[in-house]
Amino acid sequence: MSYKHLTIERSDHIATITMNRPEALNALDRGLTRDMHMAIEELSGEFPDIRVVILTGAGRGFCSGADVMAQARGLTPSEPEPHDPLNSIPPLAPELQAMPQPVIAAVNGVAAGAGFSLAMASDIRVAAESSRYSVIFVKRSLVPDTGSSHSLPAVVGRGTAMEMALTGRVYDAAWAFERGLVNYVVPDDQVLAEARVLASEIANNPPLCVQSIKQLMHRTDRLAEVLPYEHDANTPSMNTADRREAVMSFVEKRDPVFVGR
């Protein structure tokens, strides 16, 4: 299958998905979101020939989250479009978790919002020294979604997760490693190579056993179960003045002013 917004490279039982919108720091617009859904389904069907999946981004970013510029266009009244599940970002996280193959996130730059959630939904994270991390949802008048309301505290603990979620701060790779958010921090030009070394080690183990280990580890960690709660938690701030201000201040490159309505 050919893709417009990502590439897939296969070698030695390892598949590397590279999100390919570098001009937008690989922000998830409809095109990339659809491609991600289809790539996950395609590679899931290639097990056990494909035994490990690496997820990374082209250019300077891993994934900066949902495309806010596209969200700003959506604030303008227009004819509603039919619902298409392939346009929905949140299910990408449980789909990554449900893959039979372990997923390694090679975080080569910024991982923010839903992009951060995709990194958290991966099984292992290899970080570039220049990588940055932000649960930026609150800055967009949103709660953490795409499963991160569950996956983040599961990895770093509730206190650190609350700090990240409530402040929306941007954290560096050293901070992320110290908190256990990432497994390794390596020089920028080695992040993909390091991920491939780790993937190769895993791929050389018995595939069915590796699959069972992943299923066992996630048995009580089903991201799909939290998506409705995330949606409900976002409902009070949807269509509010603060939600519009969050988006427009980003587009207009200014500090937001929130009023609580």
Side-chain angles (χ1 to χ4, degrees), residues 226-240:
V226 308
L227 297 189
Y229 298 111
E230 292 176 341
H231 179 272
D232 290 346
N234 263 324
T235 299
S237 63
M238 285 296 181
N239 303 315
T240 62

Side-chain angles (χ1 to χ4, degrees), residues 168-180:
R169 290 177 186 167
V170 179
Y171 300 89
D172 63 20
W175 186 96
F177 179 73
E178 182 181 340
R179 268 68 176 184

Side-chain angles (χ1 to χ4, degrees), residues 3-6 30-40:
Y3 297 94
K4 183 177 180 180
H5 304 284
L6 60 79
R30 287 179 180 175
L32 178 53
T33 301
R34 291 179 66 87
D35 279 2
M36 281 291 295
H37 281 293
M38 292 186 290
I40 291 170

